[in-house]
Amino acid sequence: MATTPLSANSHGDHASHELPFGTLVGILLLLMVLMGLTIGASYVTLPSVGPIPGIVINNLVAVGIATIKAALVIWFFMGVKFASALARIWVIAGFLVLFLMFGILGDYGTRKFEQVNGWETNVPHNGGETALPRVWPPEGKPSSTPEVEQGFRPR
Amino acid sequence: MAAIAHDTHEDHGALHHQFENIEQQNDSYIVGMWTFLVTEVMFFGALFLIYTLYRSMYQMDWYLAHEELDVKLGAFNTIVLLISSFTVAVAVRSAQRKERGLVLANIGITIACAFIFLVVKAFEYSAKFEHHLYPGPTFGSVPEHLNGANANYAQLFYGLYFGMTGLHALHIIVGIIVLSALFNLWWRKCDSVMKDYIPTELVGLYWHFVDLVWIFLFPLMYLMPKPH
Amino acid sequence: MSAIPVDPTSAGNGVISQPTPAASETNYINEFGGLKSWLLTGDHKRIAILYLISVTFFFFLGSLAAAMIRWELTAPAGVVLESDTYNKVFSSHGVIMVFTFLVVAIPSVFGNFFLPIMIGARDMAFPRLNLLSWYLYMAGGILILAGMINGGVDGGWTFYTPYSSMYSNSNVTLVLTGVFIIGFSSITTGINFIVTTHKMRAPGMTWFRLPLFVWAHYATAVVIILGTPVVAITLLLVVFERAFKLPIFNPELGGDPVLFQHLFWFYSHPAVYIMILPAFGIISELIANFARKRVFGYHFIAFSTLAIAGLGFLVWGHHMFISSQSMYQGIVFSLISFLVAVPSAIKVFNWTATLYKANIRLQSPMLYALGFIGLFTVGGLTGLFLGSMGTDVHLTATYFVVAHFHYVMVGGTMTAFLGGLHYWWPKMTGRLYAEGIAKANAIIVFLGFNLTFFPQFIVGWLGMPRRYHYYYLAPEYQVYNIMSTLGSGFLGIGFLLPAFYLSKSLVSGRKASANPWGAHGLEWEIPSPPPSTNFLQIPIVLDEVYDFDPVTEYEQDRAQQAIENSHEHPGMMDSHDETASKLEEGGH
């Protein structure tokens, strides 16, 4: 298909924006291979490296491969390769702030530094009893109790 | 320096009144679309953040819960989406070269892929509903489908599973609508797409983004390694 | 001044002048008639007017709720409202004011109207998207109102889980859906601002010739783009949790409700800057144009705007010092929160330095601007009390917090909104309002505001918690609350008066010239009100921004004094307008 006669306009302004058909096919195949690699890697339990547990490495590998796939799609399929500097800045800024948001996890990491009662995670709890009367489903129930309707204003 | 900017107007059917020339217009649309995609990245990013936190908290239970998901169907859907992403890229390329037939064919394949994805997704969802794996009071009432996971944490997993894949499926549905509209414009040989590849490119960017989300969703939802 | 010959009748900005006289007959208001031409318009100016009407409406509703709160608090055991109703009233006040007024008001009204004009563009980059943003805003606003009318919503504007997701039996779903939709309205506006600023600038309009108003709106747009989607998905998950029982923040199933607070404040702290940065932009314009000087440290103000936008994303945790957040992360957040004070202070110092030895004209917009600087400084400095972890433990969820953010949001954003409204009213409507009453109103707002909110600092420091309406165990709070309610009455008058005299100007106000203030900027080069396409030909910008010439300024000032002396003092109300129009005719 790449060798079909080019139409009259293909040598115009946008000619430089086009990827060869072969490259597109190559990217697709590469993406497929990477997908196969992820599936394979998920069945292998990787060994721990020093203090880093194997499961973390496994996850890093999975996310790493996904990131490579995403980068391929962004760079070639989405045409960032040809995009203006401005568009590239936006692509980078987006992921940078996303990375920043993961700073939220810092809270959960550092909570363990100082144990405070009630802060522990992974505590098995007693099956859903809570102090407040639970309204479920919340919508459509009468909103007030007789006390509220009579009023308990302390005059 | 030209004192009167109107002079630079070209005779171009698709140029809107607020722009000076077609380059400015094209750039504006591309930057605008990327800006929108950044908002989408943040939108899904928050979900991925929640996922990361809860998965790090409940690794084993989530691993056990995730075994109910069908890797084969997930992989099949991944292939379908990758192919659709490829065909959209080809469609954009053909739009630049003004090869109408190829554009129509490739958009058609993309729409078909989107429908296949949704049908497979529907099968997966219905299986989960049969097994009472949807969040709510009856969650886990068929215990053998929990694979021994804590029902509460498994419910958290399926809450995120349905939330994330559901929002992704919603994006696919929107994509089908937009792609169909684009197909219609090409079919009717409208100037807005025939003379200007930007509309096709914008739809393409959106569709690639939908593919991107799935590229992350697939390994995170379907392919958890076994914790030690 | 420049190589290209400049038309001597132009205001001296070095801008190729517009062929105005014939064109001033038709403008964006009268060119097309009928309701349909307004509701289907793509014109950024008309959309801004639509926004102006709608945000005023929502502001009025929010003020009603505020009045009810203030009335209820005059007695230690309440006056009229039940506890349940009180919860719904203060929640309505918060939701309406934050989501339908503060976030939207300045960008969507003045940003929409003036950003394209200030950079020399014919319209926003995406006019239809711009119109869509108004419809989304209205749809969201109507959903919120539907929720309020259909039984109200409680839990405050922050919708903390698990109360909002599991226990509240008010219309949380409806209201959150409305907020979600308004989020999309914000996003579309943000996309438009970014693309317009990048791509639509006139030839010669370099980044450092942009008015600071444009810088401020650009930074705001960046914050909107990066922050709003996060709160959108967070609120959507609460909706899902209520509607489909998706247990995302449910602590019974191992979810973490504090995660909601993290995600919520990841947007909502930057959202504070979405509310205040455009106000900074307006104030920079007002200070420069009424001090008749180039803003001192233009680059510093421009970059401090970006710095605030950037740092704003790193401080969300200071809302959560007592929320079970790790104290180690709290330390980091406290530190970075102090850093935000630096760019904010840079702005205040630079505005103040601009006033030094300036030829200040104390007209009504300038009075608002000066009020802004004082009130924002108080609001900002009290923020430091809340940013330090130790004092915050004492002050969290007291009236000190309420007073702090009202100083920033009302004393800051609302004052700037009024200042901008008075500054650009002649340009937007082509009519002059009565200057005397406008000046008086600026003073009423300033005094009424301080009387309302300063006592709240004291009562908060003494320990009165926010969101409570009974304080009968501490009746000593009553005197402060009565002062506050009294002040809120004055403030209410200060907000109502402009509605009257500005409306009156539409009917009987005199016609405004193209540049009634003698201000600099592209928006003053075109007729009032502007024609539909803004510029009949796209201008070429040759000179720097705020390019006031000291000698000309001195001469103008002398001329104005001479005119004032020659008149037999024609009355406070109109003297300015006449002298201004005389200056317009002969001053240049």
Side-chain angles (χ1 to χ4, degrees):
Chain A
M1 209 178 290
T3 55
T4 50
L6 299 174
S7 64
N9 280 314
S10 64
H11 289 296
D13 306 329
H14 309 311
S16 64
H17 289 231
E18 288 173 17
L19 277 173
F21 187 75
T23 314
L24 290 178
V25 176
I27 300 295
L28 177 64
L29 292 178
L30 196 55
L31 287 170
M32 298 281 188
V33 170
L34 285 169
M35 186 198 74
L37 207 61
T38 329
I39 297 174
S42 72
Y43 291 103
V44 183
T45 306
L46 296 172
S48 305
V49 177
I52 309 167
I55 177 81
V56 173
I57 297 176
N58 259 66
N59 288 328
L60 286 180
V61 167
V63 174
I65 293 176
T67 310
I68 294 170
K69 282 162 77 179
L72 285 174
V73 170
I74 290 173
W75 190 249
F76 292 103
F77 282 180
M78 297 175 91
V80 170
K81 191 172 192 288
F82 307 115
S84 60
L86 183 59
R88 285 188 198 177
I89 287 174
W90 270 107
V91 178
I92 295 166
F95 285 100
L96 207 68
V97 175
L98 179 62
F99 182 71
L100 207 71
M101 188 167 64
F102 275 73
I104 288 173
L105 296 179
D107 174 21
Y108 296 88
T110 51
R111 276 186 202 181
K112 293 164 195 144
F113 288 5
E114 188 162 347
Q115 286 294 337
V116 178
N117 285 338
W119 280 23
E120 308 90 345
T121 51
N122 290 319
V123 184
H125 44 75
N126 54 8
E129 283 304 309
T130 51
L132 280 167
R134 176 137 179 214
V135 186
W136 193 271
E139 314 283 348
K141 289 283 176 91
S143 69
S144 51
T145 58
E147 288 87 1
V148 172
E149 270 157 20
Q150 289 158 15
F152 45 79
R153 176 158 300 161
R155 284 225 170 87
Chain B
M1 208 190 301
I4 300 172
H6 277 280
D7 292 349
T8 59
H9 269 256
E10 289 165 20
D11 181 26
H12 200 291
L15 186 65
H16 293 297
H17 77 97
Q18 70 271 28
F19 295 109
E20 293 307 307
N21 51 51
I22 197 72
E23 281 76 27
Q24 185 190 23
Q25 175 175 322
N26 288 354
D27 269 9
S28 299
Y29 277 101
I30 296 285
V31 172
M33 191 65 198
W34 271 107
T35 321
F36 171 70
L37 291 184
V38 166
T39 70
E40 289 276 32
V41 167
M42 296 302 291
F43 189 79
F44 279 99
L47 286 168
F48 282 112
L49 173 77
I50 297 171
Y51 171 93
T52 312
L53 177 67
Y54 289 163
R55 178 156 161 212
S56 68
M57 283 179 176
Y58 312 117
Q59 285 199 38
M60 198 61 202
D61 295 291
W62 278 37
Y63 171 77
L64 295 171
H66 111 284
E67 286 194 319
E68 274 300 300
L69 299 181
D70 192 334
V71 181
K72 285 190 203 99
L73 287 182
F76 176 75
N77 260 350
T78 312
I79 293 171
V80 167
L81 271 194
L82 287 180
I83 289 174
S84 76
S85 208
F86 166 76
T87 52
V88 159
V90 176
V92 172
R93 179 173 181 272
S94 311
Q96 288 175 348
R97 299 154 70 103
K98 307 204 189 314
E99 295 161 339
R100 178 166 165 272
L102 272 178
V103 173
L104 284 175
N106 279 298
I107 296 178
I109 297 173
T110 312
I111 296 173
C113 284
F115 274 111
I116 293 171
F117 181 92
L118 283 182
V119 169
V120 172
K121 204 81 225 148
F123 275 117
E124 285 188 88
Y125 275 11
S126 62
K128 299 294 164 295
F129 272 80
E130 264 173 37
H131 298 158
H132 285 281
L133 289 175
Y134 58 93
T138 62
F139 181 87
S141 55
V142 191
E144 62 266 28
H145 288 292
L146 287 177
N147 300 323
N150 178 319
N152 288 339
Y153 305 151
Q155 193 171 349
L156 213 54
F157 172 77
Y158 278 103
L160 267 181
Y161 169 78
F162 280 108
M164 293 173 88
T165 57
L167 281 173
H168 179 255
L170 195 67
H171 278 76
I172 299 253
I173 292 168
V174 172
I176 290 176
I177 294 169
V178 180
L179 282 165
S180 308
L182 185 71
F183 187 89
N184 181 37
L185 289 177
W186 275 98
W187 186 259
R188 292 190 355 237
K189 300 184 185 175
C190 280
D191 274 0
S192 54
V193 292
M194 295 281 284
K195 283 191 175 177
D196 187 0
Y197 78 99
I198 287 292
T200 317
E201 165 100 22
L202 295 183
V203 175
L205 283 176
Y206 174 81
W207 191 257
H208 289 309
F209 174 80
V210 173
D211 185 33
L212 278 185
V213 174
W214 187 257
I215 284 178
F216 282 96
L217 275 180
F218 172 60
L220 292 180
M221 288 294 174
Y222 291 82
L223 298 178
M224 290 187 197
K226 191 175 183 354
H228 307 291
Chain C
M1 194 180 284
S2 56
I4 298 178
V6 174
D7 189 327
T9 59
S10 85
N13 263 20
V15 175
I16 305 271
S17 71
Q18 300 289 316
T20 48
S24 61
E25 302 296 322
T26 63
N27 55 50
Y28 78 99
I29 298 173
N30 64 17
E31 186 170 349
F32 307 100
L35 190 63
K36 200 179 153 197
S37 78
W38 280 86
L39 293 180
L40 296 178
T41 183
D43 186 344
H44 66 106
K45 300 180 286 299
R46 287 190 158 202
I47 295 167
I49 297 294
L50 292 176
Y51 262 119
L52 179 62
I53 295 164
S54 10
V55 298
T56 309
F57 170 70
F58 282 109
F59 179 77
F60 178 70
L61 293 182
S63 304
L64 280 185
M68 286 166 82
I69 296 171
R70 283 317 325 162
W71 182 244
E72 174 71 7
L73 286 171
T74 49
V79 182
V80 281
L81 302 177
E82 300 293 341
S83 298
D84 218 24
T85 321
Y86 182 79
N87 289 345
K88 288 175 177 173
V89 169
F90 78 68
S91 304
S92 308
H93 172 68
V95 170
I96 291 178
M97 283 303 196
V98 170
F99 293 114
T100 63
F101 182 77
L102 286 170
V103 168
V104 182
I106 296 181
S108 293
V109 178
F110 302 120
N112 248 338
F113 201 108
F114 290 106
L115 188 130
I117 302 183
M118 281 180 170
I119 63 172
R122 280 193 215 94
D123 203 326
M124 284 284 187
F126 311 122
R128 278 176 293 182
L129 200 63
N130 204 2
L131 183 63
L132 176 69
S133 92
W134 183 71
Y135 277 102
L136 288 174
Y137 169 78
M138 289 311 284
I142 286 168
L143 276 184
I144 291 176
L145 282 191
M148 308 269 166
I149 292 165
N150 185 27
V153 64
D154 57 3
W157 75 277
T158 50
F159 295 106
Y160 273 6
T161 54
Y163 182 75
S164 65
S165 57
M166 292 167 65
Y167 300 107
S168 171
N169 46 20
S170 56
N171 287 304
V172 174
T173 310
L174 207 54
V175 172
L176 283 187
T177 313
V179 174
F180 179 77
I181 294 173
I182 285 184
F184 278 97
S185 159
S186 274
I187 288 173
T188 46
T189 305
I191 292 176
N192 242 329
F193 282 0
I194 285 176
V195 177
T196 306
T197 313
H198 271 293
K199 288 288 163 195
M200 308 289 281
R201 280 171 289 135
M205 181 55 90
T206 59
W207 279 94
F208 293 111
R209 282 179 186 168
L210 288 178
L212 289 166
F213 181 84
V214 178
W215 273 100
H217 277 77
Y218 180 74
T220 307
V222 172
V223 178
I224 288 175
I225 292 301
L226 297 174
T228 312
V230 180
V231 84
I233 185 65
T234 312
L235 299 182
L236 194 64
L237 285 175
V238 175
V239 172
F240 282 177
E241 192 160 340
R242 291 178 73 91
F244 309 123
K245 306 181 182 70
L246 290 191
I248 309 293
F249 302 114
N250 183 346
E252 290 178 357
L253 302 178
D256 185 1
V258 177
L259 185 60
F260 172 87
Q261 296 185 27
H262 270 301
L263 292 168
F264 180 83
W265 288 114
F266 184 81
Y267 161 79
S268 291
H269 191 76
V272 173
Y273 300 114
I274 295 176
M275 302 170 200
I276 197 69
L277 281 177
F280 289 160
I282 290 182
I283 298 304
S284 302
E285 293 298 308
L286 296 184
I287 295 284
N289 282 310
F290 289 92
R292 319 297 303 165
K293 266 171 81 180
R294 182 181 163 89
V295 166
F296 182 82
Y298 169 91
H299 290 80
F300 279 92
I301 295 190
F303 283 120
S304 68
T305 307
L306 295 183
I308 290 176
L311 285 173
F313 275 105
L314 300 170
V315 296
W316 73 87
H318 67 214
H319 296 267
M320 303 167 55
F321 284 152
I322 58 154
S323 73
S324 91
Q325 177 187 235
S326 145
M327 119 183 150
Y328 296 94
Q329 205 179 14
I331 293 169
V332 176
F333 279 129
S334 181
L335 196 72
I336 306 174
S337 303
F338 280 105
L339 286 183
V340 182
V342 175
S344 312
I346 286 176
K347 283 175 183 295
V348 172
F349 286 134
N350 279 334
W351 290 326
T352 319
T354 312
L355 299 177
Y356 179 66
K357 286 195 175 173
N359 194 1
I360 299 170
R361 296 184 180 172
L362 283 178
Q363 285 154 328
S364 51
M366 185 60 166
L367 292 181
Y368 285 107
L370 294 175
F372 173 97
I373 295 180
L375 299 179
F376 174 73
T377 307
V378 174
L381 288 176
T382 49
L384 296 179
F385 291 59
L386 299 167
S388 356
M389 289 176 82
T391 45
D392 186 65
V393 172
H394 175 61
L395 294 173
T396 296
T398 65
Y399 264 86
F400 193 90
V401 179
V402 175
H404 158 70
F405 69 71
H406 279 87
Y407 259 81
V408 180
M409 294 292 107
V410 185
T413 308
M414 191 58 205
T415 307
F417 181 83
L418 285 174
L421 192 62
H422 284 82
Y423 178 52
W424 283 307
W425 184 262
K427 179 56 66 182
M428 293 168 85
T429 63
R431 298 288 179 164
L432 295 169
Y433 52 85
E435 173 71 7
I437 194 168
K439 279 183 183 169
N441 190 66
I443 293 165
I444 291 174
V445 168
F446 182 79
L447 295 180
F449 174 83
N450 278 303
L451 185 57
T452 310
F453 292 105
F454 201 83
Q456 295 187 5
F457 278 126
I458 303 170
V459 81
W461 188 264
L462 293 175
M464 179 165 170
R466 67 193 285 203
R467 294 177 176 165
Y468 281 36
H469 71 135
Y470 290 160
Y471 51 93
Y472 50 85
L473 294 179
E476 66 269 25
Y477 296 159
Q478 190 177 12
V479 60
Y480 302 107
N481 277 303
I482 286 178
M483 279 162 76
S484 186
T485 304
L486 204 63
S488 69
F490 284 110
L491 196 56
I493 292 170
F495 291 149
L496 275 178
L497 269 181
F500 289 115
Y501 64 71
L502 290 180
S503 310
K504 184 168 165 285
S505 81
L506 289 179
V507 185
S508 59
R510 290 188 300 109
K511 282 207 159 58
S513 63
N515 190 357
W517 307 113
H520 283 209
L522 281 181
E523 79 265 36
W524 302 107
E525 307 276 326
I526 57 175
S528 308
S532 288
T533 53
N534 297 348
F535 301 94
L536 298 179
Q537 43 179 271
I538 291 295
I540 294 172
V541 184
L542 299 171
D543 277 358
E544 299 306 314
V545 66
Y546 310 126
D547 192 27
F548 290 96
D549 177 16
V551 178
T552 325
E553 290 307 318
Y554 178 74
E555 280 167 2
Q556 277 187 9
D557 211 41
R558 289 291 296 274
Q560 187 169 6
Q561 276 178 4
I563 293 166
E564 275 170 8
N565 291 340
S566 70
H567 279 258
E568 278 298 312
H569 193 59
M572 200 178 173
M573 310 267 274
D574 294 326
S575 66
H576 161 68
D577 303 336
E578 286 177 21
T579 51
S581 53
K582 283 217 168 88
L583 281 172
E584 276 299 304
E585 290 156 17
H588 301 289

